Amino acid sequence: MIQIINTGVANIRSLQASFDRLNQPWNLTESADDVREATHVVLPGVGAIAAAAESLDQLGLRDALRQRIADSDRSTLCICLGMQLLFDASEESDSARGLGIIPLTVKRFPDDLPVPQLGWNSVKLKRPDASGTSRFDDGEAYFANSFRLVDAPPDDWGFAETDYGGHFVSSLWRGHTLACQFHPELSGSWGEQLLRNWVMRVTLPQKTLPTSLSEESSC
């Protein structure tokens, strides 16, 4: 059973429909026990990080998520704002605290760019995780974001990048955790395959790629 966290700040109908197409049962949950113990958990999110962080605290899910991802390494998918919650902080809010699993800060797009980035863009693999594997092949994904991570994650995390006014981290993964700035549930057949890979815990062998976020991708 896939447990989808009901934070109240995400439109999850398209995500539910994607799992239905994959014939995967799902359930909406606000239970810390579900978050700790379920085989698969999704942390979705749309909107403001302060509201999302407050919702996690009100539901008592902060420690459960940290335990699940950082300690137990159970299958977890973080989407859009859900990915941004993995970090320490965001320039969107001085007061909101992320989960602090990755010690980095999410930053605004430059002022001269139209925001949010809304629509399709390329996702290109940049670095496999510590085990030398990836979670998906290069593809096109649907984005809706005004903030992004510009710093490469710690070395044990694999990541992919996208270019919108400069390169940024559009996905990252380690162990059984996969985080996507884009929306795989809105990304056609490529996104559906990504979700299938996550559900089935499929990893792909990946050749060594340039690790600097500023380098042009060789993919």
Side-chain angles (χ1 to χ4, degrees):
M1 177 72 71
I2 298 170
Q3 299 289 347
I4 303 173
I5 298 175
N6 184 20
T7 61
V9 295
N11 182 350
I12 58 175
R13 290 184 180 178
S14 56
L15 183 60
Q16 293 167 335
S18 291
F19 288 133
D20 285 343
R21 288 193 295 272
L22 294 173
N23 295 315
Q24 296 296 326
W26 54 265
N27 177 60
L28 283 178
T29 187
E30 298 177 357
S31 163
D33 287 340
D34 284 345
V35 170
R36 289 190 185 94
E37 299 171 8
T39 59
H40 291 73
V41 165
V42 181
L43 175 60
V46 175
I49 193 169
E54 181 180 5
S55 178
L56 291 181
D57 288 334
Q58 290 177 343
L59 294 172
L61 300 182
R62 179 180 292 274
D63 288 344
L65 278 166
R66 286 185 52 84
Q67 180 181 354
R68 178 181 185 86
I69 296 171
D71 300 332
S72 302
D73 189 26
R74 292 177 176 268
S75 293
T76 309
L77 174 63
C78 306
I79 298 175
C80 195
L81 184 60
M83 170 175 157
Q84 295 182 11
L85 285 166
L86 291 176
F87 306 113
D88 281 342
S90 170
E91 289 185 347
E92 183 181 5
S93 171
D94 292 336
S95 60
R97 294 183 304 117
L99 294 172
I101 292 171
I102 302 175
L104 294 171
T105 297
V106 177
K107 299 180 180 179
R108 297 179 186 273
F109 280 115
D111 292 339
D112 59 348
L113 283 177
V115 292
Q117 176 193 201
L118 196 61
W120 294 80
N121 206 340
S122 297
V123 178
K124 295 188 176 183
L125 298 172
K126 197 66 177 177
R127 184 179 75 200
D129 65 15
S131 67
T133 59
S134 179
R135 291 291 175 179
F136 49 81
D137 293 316
D138 294 356
E140 296 286 323
Y142 187 86
F143 289 81
N145 62 308
S146 298
F147 296 82
R148 82 284 192 241
L149 179 68
V150 295
D151 302 306
D155 290 345
D156 53 337
W157 289 83
F159 73 97
E161 67 177 14
T162 295
D163 188 356
Y164 185 70
H167 292 101
F168 68 93
V169 176
S170 52
S171 182
L172 49 83
W173 56 90
R174 183 184 69 179
H176 292 116
T177 297
L178 171 63
C180 304
Q181 181 60 70
F182 53 85
H183 288 268
E185 75 280 12
L186 299 176
S187 298
S189 59
W190 181 82
E192 188 168 287
Q193 183 62 55
L194 183 153
L195 291 175
R196 182 181 291 108
N197 287 353
W198 174 73
V199 170
M200 303 304 294
R201 295 175 177 168
V202 172
T203 57
L204 306 175
Q206 180 59 37
K207 65 182 179 180
T208 301
L209 298 173
T211 56
S212 171
L213 200 58
S214 63
E215 293 180 61
E216 290 296 326
S217 174
S218 62
C219 297

